[in-house]
Each structure stands twice: as structure tokens, then as C-alpha cells.
Amino acid sequence: MAVQQSVGPDPYFPANGDSRYRVHRYELTLDYRPGPNRLSGAARINAIAGRSALPEFQLNLADFKIGRVRVDGRPTHYTHRGGRLRIRPAKPLRAGAAFTVEVQWSGNPKPVNSPWGGLGWEELDDGALVASQPVGAPSWYPCNDRPADKASYLISVTTPSAYSVVAGGRLLTRTTKASTTTWVYEQSAPTSSYLVGLAIGKYQTVLLGDPGLGGVPQHGHLPAELLSEFSRDFARQPGMMHLFQQLFGPYPFDEYAVVVTEEELDVPVEAQGLSLFGANHLDGARGSERLVAHELAHQWFGNSVSIADWRHIWLNEGFAKYAEWLWSERSGGRSAQQLAAAAHRALSSLPQDLCLADPGRRSMFDDRLYGRGGLTVHALRCALGDEAFFRMLRVWLQLHRGGVVSTSTLTAHAARFSLEPLDELFDAWVYGTELPPLPVYSGEWSAPRGG
């Protein structure tokens, strides 16, 4: 399907991205040396101008030394300040014209500043990790950093041979020359810049379950000393994959990888076809299993079907939160109704000034957004009944696969599956701030059961 584009700058991050063009493909060639934390890179970016001619345009890129910039093979004028690489071609690009940008850069990558601390490239004690949500991608490569601008990626990373490189997508080649190894990954599915994940470390690779004929290959990459805990904590991930494919439809990518770093992370982070966990998320007792389910669910909700801009982040987090509850319900834990009741109790004692449809930049990762988002999905399930609800989800994910959506896209879509108007439900849960009563389903839960 054609990828939908939101119009204009992202209201939460107006300095990020350029809505006057869109990128079709990034080809990144990187060389990284962990000791000195030295990155040098070359990008070839294939893009298409929008409805107006482009006398100039911008990419987002952090504080690196720029080697050269070319447009359609020709040197071009550029400025690089404040995380913006402004490029002015010799002649304005025609409306609708395809063009190619080449950028070379080098330096010591570091996280970019944000209201939530440093984001993006993080140097570890022995390796590196990229966790970019929402605006950290420019910490390591030049990009049109807006979630609606989705592109395919070819990523080549050369690093000392003692290290493994893991990126979202399919590993095409791994070539060793002297003391370095080059890893080449292809992500053919449309991908938002913040969802391009990368991990470099001394990892052992394990296969999670047997995907069988036509199944989804699932691999874990982790320090060898964590293998025992990992084997238990992630043992049920293949069962989650099976259940979610039943409930949501086919897994949207070629493979799924999980990386566990030897360091601690505040929260796990999703990337396209890849999730990143810290050593603190392993305890050998499945203590973080809900997070395993949450990150896997993001492959459908947030990654395959992405948001038009950051105002709509509840569409990512609310459905991933509800997937946690569905996994619990289908695997012998507490039911979705019990978990909804617990979330409702917790929210009832907190300030009720958050609007899901537009939470504001400061509150887009507020715990209340996750809980209220999950409750909204539960309210929708209660209103529709299981058969219509899960059919609605599968059609939603099929219809918008590889594209972007907004809150209004969902409200219009859900209405097609309801016998009664849903306006009051959405007005209360999504556009209002006061916490509505706990939704209760009076029918019989009948979603397909997974293994």
C-alpha cells in the first residue's frame, strides 16, 4: 500500500524532519571502533520531492564532522548547525522529482539531548547500543527524522571481529577481512527513522524455538553468562508469537531478534524487527514477561502500523499494553478484565488531566498514557464483543501495514465494526480527561486461544 504522509511539521518536535519530501531508501555504510568510540559513515539517501519545488531541504544529524554532501552526484552548498543539515542544491528540485543525497560524516557518537535525557547512540562498557525513540536517530546517521517518513534500509557495519553486530532486518552477509568483520543487513519493510535499531557487543546467538516451515525465525543475542536466565525468561516468546499471529494476523516482518545488553536499561526499547532489553530484565523467573509481550506486540502496533506524528503515541502504547493483558489471559495468568480493573484503580488515584488524543510532549511517555490506552482498547473490546473486536484489529493491521495512522483513522475504522455508535466511548476515553467507569464485558470472551 502507499505510505500515508502527515502534513506539516510534527507539532511536538517541529525542528525534526522535513515534510516537503519523503525518503524511499537509506543505504548506510558505517565503520565503528568501540575503543575510541569512533564512527565514520557514508549515507546514500533516495528521496522524492513533494508537491512543490525544493530550493533547499534539511536532514537531521547530530554534531559530526561533515566530509562531503552531494545531491544527484554533484557537490552542493550546505550548513550544519543545531542538529540540522540544511542542503541547497545547485538548482531547485522539481516537484515530484526523485533525487539522491550522499553524506559522509565522522566523529564520536553520543546521545542527543531530549526532555527524557540522552537518546540514540549509547556507548557501552564494551560495545554500543542504539535506542532512538522518539528523536534519537540523528545521533548516528542523517535522516528525515519524522515517524511518518518510512523507508527501506540497507545497513553495512564494519567493526573489530570480536564484536557481533545486530540490526533489525535480515542478515545478508558477514565478511571477515584481517581483524574486522562487515555485517550487512536489509530491512525491506517501510521503517520510521526512530525504529532503526543497532547493537554492537560480544554476544552469543541462540534460536528461540523451532520456527518450522513458514514460521518466523526468532533469535536472542546476549552475553554468554546470561544464557541460563534468558532461556527461562524468554521461553514463552514463541508462544506469544503464535498467539499474536492468531489474534492480530501474520507477523509483519521477516524475522524477530531480541538483544540483551550486559548493562541495565530503564525500560526495554522496540525497534523494527528487533527489541532491546537490559540485563536487569532477566531474573530467571519470568519477572519481566509482560515486557517481552509488550515489545513483541509493537512489531504490529507502532512498527508495521506507525503513527502520523507523536500526538498519536497512545495508538502504539495502548495496544501494546493491551497485548500484555491478552497474553496473560491466554497463558493462565490474570484475565484482561482483572488487569483492566487494576489499571483503573491505579489511574483513579492519579491526576486526571491527560488527554490520550493529544497528551502533550511532556506527557507522551507518562505511565497514565499506557494504562489509559490499555483501558481504552479494553472498552472497545467490551463495546464490540470479541468476534467483531478481533476482526477489527486484523483488518486494521492488514489495511495499514507499512503505513501511518492517526487517532481519527482508528475511530473511523472501529465504527465500521460496531452496531452502535462509538462516539461517546471515544469522547470519554480518548478526547476527554476524566476517568470513565471501568468497562465490563457482559458477554463471553471468545478470542482464539494460542499456545
Side-chain angles (χ1 to χ4, degrees):
M1 62 162 287
V3 177
Q4 307 164 50
Q5 301 293 314
S6 65
V7 178
D10 189 305
Y12 289 2
F13 302 97
N16 281 59
D18 189 332
S19 59
R20 297 172 296 171
Y21 73 96
R22 60 185 177 88
V23 177
H24 170 66
R25 182 171 177 82
Y26 292 87
E27 295 179 356
L28 308 178
T29 303
L30 309 173
D31 187 293
Y32 181 65
R33 305 300 155 126
N37 185 38
R38 182 75 179 173
L39 177 70
S40 57
R44 180 180 175 87
I45 302 170
N46 298 322
I48 300 171
R51 296 178 179 176
S52 303
L54 276 184
E56 53 84 29
F57 59 93
Q58 76 168 36
L59 292 162
N60 293 103
L61 181 63
D63 186 20
F64 289 98
K65 179 182 178 182
I66 303 295
R68 82 175 182 197
V69 179
R70 294 188 174 187
V71 176
D72 292 333
R74 298 176 181 176
T76 186
H77 179 77
Y78 68 88
T79 60
H80 184 214
R81 284 191 296 272
R84 297 192 196 189
L85 180 60
R86 298 183 181 274
I87 300 170
R88 193 170 75 231
K91 292 193 302 183
L93 298 164
R94 291 182 296 105
F99 63 98
T100 300
V101 187
E102 296 171 84
V103 182
Q104 292 182 351
W105 72 100
S106 61
N108 301 105
K110 61 183 181 181
V112 296
N113 293 327
S114 84
W116 308 275
L119 296 173
W121 189 285
E122 183 175 346
E123 181 186 8
L124 304 178
D125 288 342
D126 195 16
L129 181 73
V130 169
S132 293
Q133 188 177 10
V135 290
S139 68
W140 65 289
Y141 75 100
C143 55
N144 190 12
D145 192 30
R146 53 201 302 267
D149 196 20
K150 303 175 72 170
S152 66
Y153 282 78
L154 182 71
I155 302 176
S156 171
V157 183
T158 300
T159 198
S161 295
Y163 294 85
S164 297
V165 175
V166 184
R170 192 160 52 94
L171 178 62
L172 298 183
T173 60
R174 186 178 66 190
T175 309
T176 298
K177 292 182 180 178
S179 61
T180 64
T181 298
T182 300
W183 306 67
V184 181
Y185 284 87
E186 168 81 28
Q187 178 54 269
S188 57
T191 306
S192 301
S193 50
Y194 83 92
L195 288 170
V196 183
L198 185 69
I200 299 171
K202 295 176 179 175
Y203 298 129
Q204 181 169 330
T205 299
V206 296
L207 180 67
L208 277 160
D210 180 1
L213 190 64
V216 180
Q218 300 174 64
H219 290 91
H221 307 270
L222 61 148
E225 62 270 18
L226 297 178
L227 184 57
S228 176
E229 291 89 343
F230 178 87
S231 296
R232 178 161 177 78
D233 290 328
F234 283 79
R236 301 211 292 180
Q237 183 179 282
M240 296 175 189
M241 179 71 78
H242 180 67
L243 174 67
F244 290 170
Q245 289 194 102
Q246 281 188 314
L247 300 183
F248 307 149
Y251 177 73
F253 309 116
D254 293 331
E255 303 183 13
Y256 183 56
V258 169
V259 172
V260 181
T261 77
E262 69 277 12
E263 301 190 22
E264 295 192 357
L265 300 180
D266 289 341
V267 292
V269 181
E270 76 272 15
Q272 190 108 322
L274 170 70
S275 293
L276 309 166
F277 291 79
N280 53 308
H281 297 120
L282 300 186
D283 61 6
R286 300 207 304 259
S288 295
E289 188 170 84
R290 70 172 187 84
L291 300 176
V292 177
H294 185 103
E295 302 310 321
L296 176 58
H298 270 312
Q299 304 304 319
W300 285 265
F301 300 101
N303 298 10
S304 175
V305 178
S306 304
I307 49 176
D309 63 58
W310 290 107
R311 288 174 298 181
H312 310 289
I313 188 171
W314 85 271
L315 293 173
N316 295 0
E317 301 304 343
F319 281 99
K321 170 60 73 175
Y322 200 67
E324 296 177 28
W325 300 355
L326 289 171
W327 169 249
S328 174
E329 180 172 275
R330 302 303 166 187
S331 63
R334 287 190 289 172
S335 70
Q337 185 67 50
Q338 290 171 316
L339 290 164
H344 194 272
R345 283 193 300 273
L347 284 171
S348 66
S349 64
L350 298 173
Q352 295 180 26
D353 57 0
L354 183 139
C355 171
L356 276 190
D358 190 359
R361 189 170 83 165
R362 291 180 60 182
S363 298
M364 56 187 281
F365 297 116
D366 192 304
D367 285 345
R368 292 174 297 164
L369 182 137
Y370 292 67
R372 188 176 180 119
L375 280 165
T376 300
V377 178
H378 189 65
L380 196 53
R381 183 183 178 188
C382 291
L384 296 179
D386 269 18
E387 183 181 350
F389 172 75
F390 286 105
R391 185 156 45 89
M392 182 274 294
L393 283 190
R394 287 190 293 272
V395 174
W396 167 258
L397 292 161
Q398 179 184 14
L399 194 62
H400 298 290
R401 180 170 176 162
V404 298
V405 295
S406 65
T407 297
S408 62
T409 321
L410 177 72
T411 59
H413 174 79
R416 295 169 47 203
F417 294 82
S418 177
L419 298 175
E420 303 290 336
L422 297 174
D423 299 18
E424 289 187 9
L425 185 155
F426 285 117
D427 284 346
W429 282 102
V430 177
Y431 297 104
T433 58
E434 185 177 344
L435 184 66
L438 173 69
V440 178
Y441 185 35
S442 57
E444 184 176 332
W445 305 116
S446 58
R449 292 191 173 270

